[in-house]
Amino acid sequence: MRRGQDVNDIRTITLDLDDTLWAIHPVIKRAEESLYAWMGEHYPRITELFQPDDIREIRREVIVEFKDRLHDLTFLRRTVLARLGEAAGYGDSHVDDAFEVFNAVRNDVTLFPEARAALVSLRERFVLVAVTNGNADLERIGIRDLFDDVVSATMAGAAKPARRIFDHAVNAGGASARQTLHVGDHPLHDVHGARDAGLRAVWVNRNGEQWPDEYPAPDGEVRHLGELDDLLSSR
């Protein structure tokens, strides 16, 4: 919402997680490196057969094969792990342990400096619902208490920008779509998807990028979540 725009009817704020509350790419890189090192120690035939680029190619093959499961990142990663083990003669008995190695690091995130305080303040006035295409575990991260509910792509059976996941988020928040404001960093997945589902949307633009011409402009733009808190503080 830009200043001066009426926000008195906003009841629920739905929030993207990865790259909105924390930077995700360094985390995934570290998690994959930790997993690869663990496999090298415990299942060495896998790393003897497959370099990291080989594993990425297998992941691409799995994505093509399971187009109907693209919303379930846990399923995709576990399928890749199973195929690595089977190719190396280990079967799939390692999958649970291997995924836990990855998942532990994947949820070892550092919130952007303003994020926690902004969430605490926003939750005093709004219902907060996390909406994610990923598999972040807010209990492990330590911020589950700051959200009233969590909606994941796996739970909804569809990933952003599909309307289905936003419909789930609106239902979780308990207000109408028009009374729900979605906040996220991705022009298509977050802003355009939310607006197509009838929500209002604010773009988190940390890096000062230009809004892509192919989508209608967002309802508002902030550099980080702390600015959203300030923007809505007059409510």
Side-chain angles (χ1 to χ4, degrees):
M1 307 294 110
R2 295 179 177 83
R3 290 193 184 277
Q5 192 170 352
D6 182 15
V7 297
N8 288 332
D9 60 340
I10 296 296
R11 298 289 181 265
T12 300
I13 297 177
T14 60
L15 287 142
D16 173 56
L17 299 177
D18 293 336
D19 287 329
T20 295
L21 299 188
W22 55 74
I24 190 58
H25 297 294
V27 175
I28 296 300
K29 182 175 185 293
R30 183 161 45 88
E32 290 182 341
E33 289 172 348
S34 296
L35 173 58
Y36 192 78
W38 180 88
M39 290 191 297
E41 179 179 356
H42 296 279
Y43 296 90
R45 290 200 301 273
I46 291 178
T47 53
E48 289 168 4
L49 284 173
F50 300 102
Q51 294 298 309
D53 283 346
D54 301 322
I55 297 174
R56 283 187 280 271
E57 179 58 33
I58 292 173
R59 180 177 173 81
R60 284 190 285 269
E61 293 171 359
V62 168
I63 287 171
V64 170
E65 182 176 349
F66 294 98
K67 291 181 179 178
D68 61 331
R69 300 290 297 273
L70 298 185
H71 59 277
D72 191 342
L73 299 185
T74 296
F75 166 80
L76 296 177
R77 192 168 293 278
R78 288 176 63 91
T79 300
V80 171
L81 289 170
R83 292 194 175 180
L84 295 175
E86 289 162 1
Y90 294 118
D92 61 1
S93 61
H94 69 296
V95 170
D96 288 344
D97 290 340
F99 184 79
E100 175 55 28
V101 169
F102 171 86
N103 204 36
V105 181
R106 186 263 180 269
N107 286 291
D108 182 15
V109 303
T110 300
L111 271 65
F112 291 128
E114 74 289 339
R116 182 178 290 275
L119 289 171
V120 170
S121 180
L122 289 167
R123 192 159 186 247
E124 293 177 354
R125 293 169 290 142
F126 304 96
V127 173
L128 298 189
V129 179
V131 185
T132 179
N133 283 354
N135 48 15
D137 184 336
L138 297 191
E139 292 283 359
R140 296 179 78 153
I141 292 170
I143 58 171
R144 179 62 182 86
D145 60 309
L146 301 180
F147 290 89
D148 295 280
D149 211 337
V150 180
V151 175
S152 69
T154 302
M155 176 196 310
K160 296 178 291 182
R163 180 179 186 121
R164 185 172 177 179
I165 189 172
F166 288 107
D167 287 345
H168 275 255
V170 169
N171 289 337
S176 68
R178 190 63 186 166
Q179 293 173 315
T180 303
L181 174 67
H182 183 68
V183 180
D185 70 289
H186 200 286
L188 171 59
H189 294 168
D190 289 306
V191 177
H192 188 60
R195 284 167 62 88
D196 265 2
L199 291 73
R200 286 185 271 182
V202 165
W203 183 34
V204 179
N205 181 15
R206 299 191 72 89
N207 299 318
E209 298 174 1
Q210 291 294 313
W211 179 256
D213 292 336
E214 60 264 36
Y215 307 123
D219 294 292
E221 178 179 335
V222 295
R223 289 176 299 173
H224 54 70
L225 204 59
E227 291 189 345
L228 176 71
D229 189 39
D230 292 342
L231 199 59
L232 299 175
S233 63
S234 61
R235 181 179 182 274

